């Protein structure tokens, strides 16, 4: 009969049945299929997070050979409103190939220099570092991290030294308690000195991550977390009977290169900020028989 569904023919093709039923349900619910053919979700993965970008981005309508500073910044600072491809990016329907990505000009980079022993890396900026050999390394700051520009790594330019420099500052900005496990005292001192950080208290901030330390010339570690310094200083000042029990009043201690004399009540007048990890002790008093 006219108008009647031939269920026999439909049941012969289960997939057609499901497709027809789904379309009927969508019509009844007023739904429309908003995902057109050729459209897809795009994701870009970086370390421990995922940026969801360019949802349902259409294929590029043209290819642009020149990569402007604005596009370069979008690539490197994760302000991505486009799609990442194996060989480049698409922004606003225009494809930019990785072969056309220029190197970051040093004119766009700031030097990593501490002010008042505070080193701050701000998101959305390029930074340049010069190693002991005189080679310049460029890092970007975004999402609380320093790393090589994506425009470089996309082209296959991998700089191990840049990675180590970025990892060093990233670690200090979060928790540098065990920084000595990955970097020698000489390396730590070199990186701190290159950034203009001097002995005493200092801080490192990358994005919103910030930690405070004490720059020591002692042998127990160079970048000492401030909390650890405070505990050690408190021990020197409050537990004098334990610390100085083997010494006599008048004994001279060399702390951070400065002389301090043990008082009659066996105390050292150490100012807060003295390098309590760089101590040269006088000879112990003879053991009592």
């Amino acid at each position: 009969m006219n108008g009647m569904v031939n269920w026999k023919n439909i049941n012969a093709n289960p997939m057609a049945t499901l497709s027809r039923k789904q379309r009927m349900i969508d019509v009844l619910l007023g739904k429309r299929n908003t995902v057109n053919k050729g459209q897809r979700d795009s994701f870009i993965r970086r370390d421990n997070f995922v940026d969801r970008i360019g949802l349902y981005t259409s294929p590029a309508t043209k290819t642009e050979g020149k990569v402007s500073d604005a596009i370069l910044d979008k690539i490197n600072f994760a302000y991505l409103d486009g799609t990442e491809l194996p060989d480049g990016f698409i922004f606003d329907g225009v494809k930019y190939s990785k072969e056309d990505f220029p190197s970051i000009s040093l004119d766009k980079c700031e030097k990593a220099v501490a002010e008042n022993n505070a080193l701050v890396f701000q998101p959305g900026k390029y930074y340049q570092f010069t190693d002991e050999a005189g080679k310049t390394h460029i890092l970007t700051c975004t999402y609380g991290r320093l790393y090589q520009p994506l425009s470089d790594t996309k082209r296959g330019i991998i700089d191990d030294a840049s990675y180590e420099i970025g990892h060093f500052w990233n670690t200090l900005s979060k928790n540098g308690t065990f920084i000595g496990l990955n970097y020698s005292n000489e390396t730590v001192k070199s990186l701190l000195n290159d950034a203009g950080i001097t002995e005493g208290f200092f801080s490192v901030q990358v994005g919103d991550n910030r930690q405070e330390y004490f720059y020591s010339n002692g042998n127990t570690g160079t970048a000492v977390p401030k909390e650890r310094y405070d505990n050690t200083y408190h021990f020197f000042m409050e537990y004098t009977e334990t610390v100085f029990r083997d010494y006599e009043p008048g004994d001279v201690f060399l702390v951070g290169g400065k002389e301090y004399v043990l008082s009659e009540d066996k105390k050292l007048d150490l100012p807060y900020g003295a390098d309590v990890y760089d101590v040269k002790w006088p000879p112990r008093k003879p053991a009592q028989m």
Side-chain angles (χ1 to χ4, degrees):
M1 297 177 61
N2 292 336
M4 295 187 65
V5 178
N6 189 341
W7 293 105
K8 181 178 180 179
N9 291 338
I10 292 179
N11 290 335
N13 188 342
M15 295 304 296
T17 303
L18 290 175
S19 178
R20 183 184 295 273
K21 288 183 178 180
Q22 184 62 54
R23 288 198 298 270
M24 292 176 64
I25 292 172
D26 289 346
V27 170
L28 291 173
L29 296 178
K31 294 171 61 178
R32 300 181 65 184
N33 187 358
T34 58
V35 183
N36 296 325
K37 183 178 180 180
Q39 295 176 327
R40 63 184 179 86
D41 286 345
S42 295
F43 294 86
I44 178 170
R45 298 181 180 274
R46 293 205 193 96
D47 298 328
N48 60 346
F49 65 88
V50 178
D51 285 339
R52 188 169 181 172
I53 61 171
L55 267 66
Y56 311 127
T57 301
S58 300
T61 57
K62 65 176 181 177
T63 299
E64 180 65 57
K66 182 178 180 181
V67 179
S68 66
D69 286 347
I71 293 297
L72 204 61
D73 289 347
K74 285 185 177 183
I75 294 171
N76 290 320
F77 298 125
Y79 300 149
L80 294 171
D81 54 4
T83 303
E84 181 177 5
L85 304 173
D87 61 344
F89 289 88
I90 295 176
F91 296 102
D92 297 325
V94 179
K95 180 181 177 181
Y96 300 88
S97 298
K98 62 182 181 181
E99 291 81 7
D100 297 321
F101 295 169
S103 298
I104 305 299
S105 171
L106 290 180
D107 293 338
K108 293 171 62 68
C109 304
E110 296 189 11
K111 291 186 176 180
V113 179
E115 294 186 10
N116 299 320
N117 254 18
L119 184 61
V120 179
F121 297 98
Q122 299 179 357
K125 290 187 177 182
Y126 299 97
Y127 291 91
Q128 60 174 296
F129 303 81
T130 303
D131 60 23
E132 294 180 343
K135 183 178 179 180
T136 300
H137 306 272
I138 295 176
L139 295 174
T140 59
C141 179
T142 181
Y143 287 107
R145 294 200 61 195
L146 287 166
Y147 49 81
Q148 259 196 282
L150 182 58
S151 59
D152 284 346
T153 57
K154 193 75 171 175
R155 288 184 292 156
I157 300 175
I158 307 299
D159 184 353
D160 291 338
S162 292
Y163 171 81
E164 291 298 333
I165 293 172
H167 183 262
F168 175 79
W169 296 117
N170 291 333
T171 301
L172 283 186
S173 72
K174 295 177 180 178
N175 184 356
T177 302
F178 303 106
I179 194 73
L181 295 178
N182 296 316
Y183 301 89
S184 66
N185 278 350
E186 290 74 19
T187 299
V188 173
K189 288 182 179 181
S190 176
L191 290 170
L192 294 180
N193 293 342
D194 289 344
I197 294 175
T198 57
E199 291 84 352
F201 294 108
F202 71 95
S203 64
V204 175
Q205 181 172 342
V206 180
D208 293 332
N209 301 316
R210 180 181 182 276
Q211 293 293 332
E212 294 182 84
Y213 299 89
F214 183 85
Y215 184 159
S216 170
N217 279 313
N219 296 322
T220 58
T222 303
V224 180
K226 183 177 181 296
E227 182 179 3
R228 177 183 163 195
Y229 174 90
D230 288 344
N231 291 335
T232 305
Y233 178 80
H234 176 74
F235 185 75
F236 264 87
M237 302 304 290
E238 300 298 329
Y239 294 90
T240 56
E241 292 183 2
T242 299
V243 177
F244 304 114
R245 65 183 180 183
D246 295 331
Y247 302 93
E248 297 287 355
D251 284 347
V252 178
F253 293 75
L254 203 61
V255 182
K258 297 181 180 180
E259 292 186 350
Y260 296 90
V261 179
L262 193 64
S263 66
E264 290 297 326
D265 56 355
K266 290 195 173 183
K267 291 184 178 181
L268 286 182
D269 186 19
L270 293 176
Y272 181 68
D275 194 344
V276 293
Y277 299 99
D278 180 19
V279 180
K280 291 182 172 56
W281 303 76
R284 288 187 173 89
K285 68 180 180 180
Q288 298 294 326
M289 301 297 295

